[in-house]
Amino acid sequence: MDYLKIPNVSAPASRLGLGTWAMGGFQWGGTDDAVSVRTIHTALDQGISLIDTAPAYGFGHAEAVVGRALAEHGRRDQVVIATKVGLERRGDVLYRNSTPAQIASEVDTSLRLLRTDYIDLYLVHWPDPAVPVEESARALLAVQQAGKVRALGVSNYSVAEMERFHRVAPLAAVQPPHNLFERQPEQDVLPWARAHGLVALTYGSLCRGLLTGTIGADTRFPADDLRRGDPKFQPPRFQQYLQAVQLLDRYARTRYQRSVLHLALRWCLDAPNTIPLWGARQPQELDPLPELMGWDLDEEAMRYVDEVLREAIKAPVGPEFMAPGPRPETVPSPSPAPAQWE
Ligand code: NAP
């Protein structure tokens, strides 16, 4: 395993991070905590030191599972815990809320669930259009100065928003989406992060399972699975993405004696200064790990990948469907129609 230094974080961060969204259960067809804990232990034992979680994942459930796994495993000081802030739960819906009050209360809940007295990396999950970026940044800086978190980050922010945040509270990391099918951050967020010496924890490395090669046209997802509402998984796009996966898998097998899953994760790893997040939730899903290190994709492979994507996917779409909405009371109501005078 290779490691990176995240500014202000003492433990080295592994080049691959374990994502725990699915371990929260909600929107992922349920979950088995004992299996999740074993997966976290397997990841740690194989050299993955960065665990990415969030209060939003199962409304605190994923954080609690991470807390339990770390308490049972020990060696907390060698682990980099990344968690997030800034989403408010109302019933089963999450809304953006990065007010100072929300930040101050959420951090204590996360510390309790994670069973720790510090969070290594604390990221705002989504920008809140109803709160000036500087106000959220000042609140985060206060939490950092209180010693509750070591380093700050933001997720799903634009470059303009990151610049405003960074001027008030120095960022150590950002978290944009990035995988073979979702590459928009290559245009702005990733170069900005690199130019400012920040690490990018890139999410959705396997595009919610699409790039594992185990999903087919006849795959049925459980009722509460978010992929039922993911536009990539709807016809006719779904067939186009599946065709791309098939071609990439064939190429990976012929050229590298590996699968599309290896190709997809290696492609993410080849982006400099990134820590791709891998949403594995069963120990055996981490089996490919040893075959991911010690090689990279050459120019010919990169060209082939681009060609496949261009040819197979006629109407590409990003991960925007998963963006939570603003709090309803912060959305200005449409101005009343002007009175009609005869
Ligand atoms: P992902 O890693 O792209 O894909 C997860 C899916 O891949 C799961 O369905 C899992 O299957 C499957 N999978 C993993 N390893 C596999 C293997 N070896 N064989 C077959 N299937 C395998 O998706 P993600 O969870 O969306 O993204 C990764 C992490 O990024 C998240 O967990 C979270 O920490 C972070 N994230 C952050 C944001 C943000 O807004 N900041 C948004 C999304 C994600 P099973 O379901 O069968 O286990």
Side-chain angles (χ1 to χ4, degrees):
M1 179 61 69
D2 298 326
Y3 294 86
L4 278 180
K5 165 85 183 145
I6 300 179
N8 287 335
V9 172
S10 45
S14 51
R15 274 297 322 273
L16 261 173
L18 182 71
T20 64
W21 186 9
M23 291 182 192
F26 180 69
Q27 294 184 307
W28 286 90
T31 187
D32 180 330
D33 293 350
V35 175
S36 299
V37 167
R38 278 197 284 114
T39 308
I40 295 171
H41 290 173
T42 304
L44 295 172
D45 292 342
Q46 295 198 19
I48 291 182
S49 65
L50 186 138
I51 314 286
D52 181 79
T53 189
Y57 303 162
F59 308 120
H61 193 76
E63 283 190 327
V65 168
V66 172
R68 175 183 150 193
L70 294 183
E72 288 174 11
H73 192 268
R75 302 195 287 279
R76 161 71 185 95
D77 59 335
Q78 290 166 33
V79 179
V80 178
I81 303 178
T83 193
K84 311 188 190 80
V85 63
L87 293 180
E88 179 192 332
R89 177 184 185 175
R90 294 185 189 175
D92 272 355
V93 182
L94 290 164
Y95 295 99
R96 303 184 194 207
N97 185 344
S98 295
T99 54
Q102 176 78 10
I103 291 169
S105 90
E106 268 196 73
V107 69
D108 291 328
T109 308
S110 289
L111 287 168
R112 180 174 52 77
L113 291 174
L114 290 163
R115 306 192 205 181
T116 183
D117 52 9
Y118 69 95
I119 290 160
D120 298 273
L121 177 62
Y122 204 40
L123 306 109
V124 183
H125 208 147
W126 286 86
D128 179 351
V131 180
V133 171
E134 292 77 7
E135 200 174 313
S136 306
R138 274 192 294 276
L140 264 304
L141 191 60
V143 169
Q144 186 182 28
Q145 285 166 348
K148 295 180 182 186
V149 314
R150 298 270 164 90
L152 300 176
V154 289
S155 182
N156 301 304
Y157 271 47
S158 67
V159 165
E161 289 163 334
M162 294 192 301
E163 291 200 326
R164 288 173 61 189
F165 192 105
H166 197 49
R167 273 198 286 274
V168 176
L171 289 166
V174 297
Q175 190 172 135
H178 192 231
N179 61 60
L180 273 169
F181 293 150
E182 294 168 343
R183 299 177 54 172
Q184 205 283 328
E186 288 170 19
Q187 305 303 316
D188 43 24
V189 175
L190 291 177
W192 187 88
R194 220 168 288 143
H196 290 78
L198 311 187
V199 174
L201 276 58
T202 49
Y203 72 71
S205 307
L206 294 170
C207 203
R208 299 171 288 291
L210 201 46
L211 283 161
T212 60
T214 59
I215 290 177
D218 53 355
T219 302
R220 296 284 167 268
F221 298 105
D224 89 323
D225 195 299
L226 81 158
R227 288 166 292 195
R228 285 188 168 215
D230 185 334
K232 278 200 188 60
F233 290 74
Q234 319 304 322
R237 272 202 193 97
F238 190 33
Q239 283 67 23
Q240 296 172 12
Y241 280 102
L242 288 177
Q243 199 212 343
V245 171
Q246 210 174 47
L247 291 169
L248 294 172
D249 191 54
R250 200 175 300 153
Y251 182 75
R253 287 181 193 282
T254 326
R255 181 86 203 282
Y256 295 109
Q257 292 72 58
R258 287 175 167 87
S259 74
V260 62
L261 179 144
H262 296 95
L263 182 88
L265 289 172
R266 190 60 242 175
W267 182 91
C268 293
L269 282 162
D270 283 346
N273 249 39
T274 59
I275 298 182
L277 300 174
W278 180 0
R281 58 169 160 173
Q282 301 181 51
Q284 66 274 19
E285 286 182 348
L286 291 168
D287 286 350
L289 187 57
E291 294 150 6
L292 294 172
M293 297 299 166
W295 61 292
D296 47 28
L297 299 174
D298 60 16
E299 268 180 38
E300 184 202 307
M302 290 297 198
R303 263 200 309 276
Y304 181 77
V305 162
D306 290 349
E307 195 182 302
V308 165
L309 300 182
R310 221 178 14 251
E311 293 292 316
I313 303 156
K314 305 295 174 209
V317 62
E320 299 78 18
F321 82 101
M322 64 168 84
R327 281 159 287 140
E329 68 276 18
T330 65
V331 180
S333 46
S335 42
Q340 299 294 309
W341 301 101
E342 295 288 320

